[in-house]
Amino acid sequence: MNTLSVIWAPLVPWESLVLAGVICGLAVGVALWRGLRGWALRGMALAVLLLALAQPSIQTEEGKSLSDIVFLLDDRSASQNLSDRSAQTDKAVASLTRQIEARPNTELRRITVGDAPENAGTLLGSAMSEALAAEPRARVAGALMVTDGQAHDAGLMPDLPAPLQVLLTGHKADWDRRLVIQSAPSFGIIGEPVSIRLKVEDMGQVPDKAPKTAELKIAIDGAAAQSYQVNVGEDLELPLVLDHGGQNVVQFSLTPVAGELTDRNNDAVVQMNGVRDRLRVLLVSGEPHAGERTWRNLLKSDAAVDLVHFTILRPPEKQDGVPVSELSLIAFPTRELFVDKIHDFDLIIFDRYAARGILPQSYFANIAQYVRDGGAVLVSAGPEFATVESLWQTPLKDILPARPTGRVFSQSYLPRPTKLGMRHPVTAGLAGMPPVDPAKDGGTKHWGHWLRQIELGDVRGETVLTGAQDAPLLVMSREGKGRVALLASDQAWLWDRGYDGGGPQLELLKRIAHWEMKEPELEEEALYAEVQPGAMGFTIVRRSMAEKTGPVTITRPDGTTAQVDLKETAPGRFTAQWAASEAGLYRLKQGDMDRVVALGPASPREYEQTIASGAPLAQAVAGSGGAVTRLEEGIPQIRSVREGRPSAGQGWIGITPRGASEVADIRVMPVLPAWAWLVLAALLTVGAWLYEGRGRRRQTG
């Protein structure tokens, strides 16, 4: 394909040429006025000079026509696997590909779009923008998009220079039911109700026979689910009460209904962190000693602790006959604390307390019952625990994990963990922990020494620390629904003062208190998963006091199962890495331990809107002059249409041929060389002179 054109490259500015042309025109006019016979030749000579100054050239372009480009976007996201959409897509893509490849001078650009990472959905707009940026817009004849229409970035669709034809999969009669969590708090106060707003809604062409109510099942932390009948289409507000701290996984699920597209959007998970509003602690101190301030400072330093503290200030050797009821300026509300409101406390601490008749025996019996009902007691024992004034001589002996023998070790010793203590979450991993066997100390700096310990016998709890002469130092046990810890020494304050290098006094006491209050991270037997943000997988963690543990059974979101063997990576801690293939709910089970893990959303974004619709892409389609066509009505034929004409009809869709071309070669040749212009102008001038001279000779002759 060749084209000719004239181009100008004037030797002087166009303004000068115009002025020169005006002057030349006036000169020719004067010659005509004077009656000069050669005025025409004079004008032609001047015109030749002007053309020479304008320097005209002939440009020859050799070009070739370019093929049209048609985009075929193939949506292979998860929602395209619903019903028979995948088969519809395969059939449509194959037919459209054959039609485009059969068209002369037309190229196909196929784009396959899957699920975007991090649950971003179907990014059709981004895919179309990237494809269009890689091609010349002048060659784009159209774009065909085989999809269910659920584009999650429709606002990023580019302005196409040709029609966008959306071919919808699915069926007009499709309908689906889904569960929507409208609002849910990220944390809740233990023991107080929190509200979750949710809704069950139907989408699409819901049949008249579809039930107007739905069965909603709710399970917390993998426990047995409770079922409720709820109305479809109504906003629901569900109150929940969290009963433990840490992560609480609340799973909601709808019983599938016959005919709905999928049940993948029938599940939802809410993860809430259980926190305590205020930790209510009752500290009962006996004889004043150096460690009392340590306890008080520890408890008062935590803003979340409400501390009630009273101390028996009367030394045992003082016998002045003053009645017990007159020892305090203000009557202490003992009945209110130990009878009426005892269950309001999360923890009761006895710090070197001796039973001297100030508290009745019935109060101690009430404290024992408080533990059995789920309360917690911590005893920090001093020398009084080995005497007749010991708490062992009260009804508390029924819940204490060990009995005092009456012997007190007054010697320097190093607290050491037992083999059990190396695995127990209260003592495992404490900074500076010495080995179980003293022979393995090896000169390494460990905790500081303590100087006094009460000998214990008849131990029925778990001994996690030993002291002087390998006697039990810290014993913990479960009693009924509650827990009891017995620290057989009042010397923990030495670590706080840095004696002999000090030790993790604050961390140890905090762990004991939190274990007694049943904090999940300090449970001896636990199964949970650690999920890293953005990772498609998790770490299975099994904490156990046993030397070995069995495999964990994992139930995937699709119901299939797998068994994973765990490896002990730290004393009492068994772990394994699990790489997940998809987001959703995973159930971990080992023996009677059960845990639900939410990896990404329980219902992926792909299943939020499952009904095929052209609405998300309607603006882009209208702006390009295209149309939305349903594949269930048949695969349309592709036609060529002129720009601005309708691009779709019954059984057909149109693309706009562009007729683009590219220049292969350009040649520029001057009309005449410079000397030729001069020769031509000179000949015309001489011709004018001769013609006029002949005329004058005729007139004189």
Side-chain angles (χ1 to χ4, degrees):
M1 181 178 65
N2 297 330
T3 59
L4 297 177
S5 60
V6 178
I7 61 174
W8 304 86
L11 298 175
V12 296
W14 281 108
E15 293 81 0
S16 300
L17 280 177
V18 172
L19 180 60
V22 171
I23 295 173
C24 291
L26 291 175
V28 173
V30 170
L32 180 62
W33 175 69
R34 291 182 62 185
L36 298 177
R37 297 180 60 189
W39 68 268
L41 293 174
R42 291 174 181 268
M44 293 173 63
L46 293 174
V48 168
L49 291 175
L50 290 176
L51 285 173
L53 291 175
Q55 199 174 350
S57 300
I58 297 175
Q59 178 175 284
T60 304
E61 295 182 359
E62 295 182 4
K64 64 177 182 179
S65 61
L66 298 177
S67 59
D68 295 324
I69 294 176
V70 178
F71 296 112
L72 176 56
L73 195 147
D74 180 10
D75 183 359
R76 296 292 178 172
S77 58
S79 59
Q80 280 284 78
N81 294 322
L82 299 176
S83 184
D84 61 343
R85 295 180 186 177
S86 180
Q88 285 182 311
T89 301
D90 292 339
K91 187 176 180 181
V93 168
S95 175
L96 296 173
T97 300
R98 287 194 300 269
Q99 292 186 59
I100 295 173
E101 291 177 345
R103 295 178 63 86
N105 202 37
T106 304
E107 295 183 30
L108 176 66
R109 300 286 190 271
R110 182 170 174 178
I111 309 157
T112 301
V113 179
D115 294 338
E118 299 183 6
N119 195 37
T122 306
L123 305 184
L124 300 180
S126 299
M128 195 74 256
S129 296
E130 293 176 4
L132 183 62
E135 303 292 346
R137 293 178 63 89
R139 296 179 58 191
V140 176
L144 313 178
M145 190 175 290
V146 182
T147 175
D148 58 6
Q150 298 303 335
H152 297 103
D153 64 343
L156 299 179
M157 284 293 298
D159 294 329
L160 290 169
L164 170 63
Q165 306 290 355
V166 174
L167 306 177
L168 277 186
T169 57
H171 304 276
K172 291 182 179 179
D174 287 342
W175 75 282
D176 195 23
R177 175 168 292 178
R178 68 168 183 162
L179 177 63
V180 182
I181 301 296
Q182 297 175 322
S183 65
S186 59
F187 69 92
I189 297 175
I190 299 174
E192 296 187 10
V194 294
S195 294
I196 299 176
R197 295 182 61 85
L198 50 86
K199 184 179 182 179
V200 179
E201 65 179 20
D202 289 340
M203 304 177 293
Q205 298 297 320
V206 184
D208 295 334
K209 63 180 181 180
K212 305 304 180 184
T213 61
E215 182 183 19
L216 177 63
K217 297 180 180 180
I218 305 173
I220 301 178
D221 290 334
Q226 297 183 355
S227 298
Y228 304 90
Q229 288 294 325
V230 298
N231 294 326
V232 177
E234 293 185 4
D235 293 337
L236 305 173
E237 187 166 341
L238 177 68
L240 290 177
V241 178
L242 305 181
D243 59 359
H244 68 80
Q247 194 73 273
N248 291 261
V249 180
V250 185
Q251 180 183 357
F252 303 89
S253 60
L254 292 175
T255 300
V257 180
E260 64 174 320
L261 271 178
T262 179
D263 60 0
R264 285 298 304 272
N265 52 11
N266 289 15
D267 295 327
V269 171
V270 174
Q271 300 186 66
M272 290 185 291
N273 193 38
V275 297
R276 295 183 182 273
D277 180 19
R278 304 285 288 180
L279 180 62
R280 295 170 291 272
V281 178
L282 174 59
L283 175 60
V284 183
S285 298
E287 180 179 347
H289 68 110
E292 183 180 6
R293 180 178 296 275
T294 297
W295 279 110
R296 186 173 181 86
N297 291 343
L298 167 65
L299 297 170
K300 294 294 288 185
S301 64
D302 192 343
V305 171
D306 282 336
L307 176 64
V308 176
H309 182 202
F310 74 89
T311 305
I312 308 301
L313 295 175
R314 187 182 195 185
E317 66 274 5
K318 185 174 182 180
Q319 301 293 335
D320 53 10
V322 178
V324 170
S325 60
E326 299 178 11
L327 287 176
S328 176
L329 296 176
I330 301 174
F332 200 83
T334 52
R335 177 175 177 80
E336 183 179 4
L337 292 175
F338 295 104
V339 178
D340 299 334
K341 296 184 177 181
I342 187 172
H343 289 280
D344 292 342
F345 291 104
D346 298 294
L347 175 64
I348 298 176
I349 301 175
F350 287 101
D351 175 34
R352 287 201 59 177
Y353 182 81
R356 301 194 181 105
I358 295 179
L359 295 179
Q361 294 291 310
S362 60
Y363 286 9
F364 289 110
N366 203 42
I367 295 172
Q369 188 58 44
Y370 152 81
V371 172
R372 298 187 186 98
D373 292 340
V377 166
L378 169 59
V379 176
S380 178
E384 75 289 335
F385 193 69
T387 67
V388 294
E389 295 178 338
S390 171
L391 289 175
W392 180 262
Q393 305 301 328
T394 70
L396 287 182
K397 71 177 182 179
D398 295 334
I399 63 169
L400 291 176
R403 174 184 61 82
T405 64
R407 185 181 178 188
V408 178
F409 299 119
S410 296
Q411 63 185 71
S412 177
Y413 64 91
L414 179 64
R416 291 184 182 276
T418 62
K419 289 185 178 180
L420 194 64
M422 295 291 291
R423 311 178 68 83
H424 200 287
V426 169
T427 50
L430 284 173
M433 178 184 290
V436 176
D437 187 358
K440 297 180 181 180
D441 282 354
T444 305
K445 184 63 178 177
H446 301 305
W447 299 336
H449 285 65
W450 290 1
L451 304 177
R452 182 165 55 203
Q453 180 181 342
I454 313 304
E455 186 181 41
L456 301 177
D458 298 336
V459 177
R460 65 168 185 258
E462 295 178 331
T463 301
V464 296
L465 289 179
T466 59
Q469 301 183 24
D470 291 331
L473 177 60
L474 176 59
V475 185
M476 300 182 298
S477 68
R478 288 173 167 82
E479 299 293 334
K481 298 180 180 179
R483 302 184 181 186
V484 181
L486 174 58
L487 182 61
S489 177
D490 59 349
Q491 300 287 292
W493 63 272
L494 291 173
W495 280 355
D496 186 49
R497 302 289 179 86
Y499 174 76
D500 193 29
Q505 177 258 356
L506 178 62
E507 180 65 20
L508 175 61
L509 297 181
K510 277 188 174 181
R511 289 191 186 185
I512 295 173
H514 289 164
W515 174 83
E516 291 200 89
M517 288 178 290
K518 305 172 186 177
E519 293 295 333
E521 63 270 16
L522 290 170
E523 289 295 304
E524 300 97 315
E525 301 293 332
L527 175 65
Y528 59 93
E530 296 175 347
V531 181
Q532 297 298 327
M536 187 56 72
F538 48 83
T539 302
I540 306 169
V541 180
R542 173 71 165 96
R543 199 166 50 237
S544 176
M545 303 301 291
E547 296 289 337
K548 295 182 180 180
T549 183
V552 173
T553 301
I554 301 178
T555 303
R556 302 183 182 91
D558 59 4
T560 60
T561 61
Q563 285 197 337
V564 180
D565 293 323
L566 305 180
K567 181 180 179 181
E568 188 171 19
T569 55
R573 181 184 173 92
F574 302 84
T575 63
Q577 297 291 330
W578 173 261
S581 57
E582 60 178 325
L585 292 180
Y586 290 81
R587 181 181 292 272
L588 311 181
K589 186 174 181 61
Q590 186 190 70
D592 59 352
M593 306 198 72
D594 212 338
R595 187 73 174 180
V596 173
V597 182
L599 189 62
S603 176
R605 192 177 184 184
E606 274 294 306
Y607 298 101
E608 289 180 359
Q609 296 289 339
T610 56
I611 305 301
S613 171
L617 298 169
Q619 184 175 355
V621 170
S624 68
V628 177
T629 306
R630 284 193 170 272
L631 286 175
E632 69 175 327
E633 299 173 357
I635 300 174
Q637 297 298 309
I638 299 176
R639 298 181 182 177
S640 296
V641 297
R642 293 194 300 272
E643 189 171 354
R645 303 288 294 174
S647 65
Q650 184 67 33
W652 64 274
I653 56 175
I655 60 175
T656 304
R658 307 291 287 179
S661 63
E662 68 175 358
V663 177
D665 187 23
I666 298 178
R667 297 178 183 177
V668 178
M669 297 179 60
V671 174
L672 290 174
W675 62 268
W677 290 110
L678 291 175
V679 170
L680 181 59
L683 291 174
L684 290 172
T685 302
V686 171
W689 176 69
L690 292 174
Y691 183 66
E692 290 175 355
R694 184 181 302 174
R696 284 195 294 269
R697 285 195 297 270
R698 287 178 181 176
Q699 291 176 356
T700 58

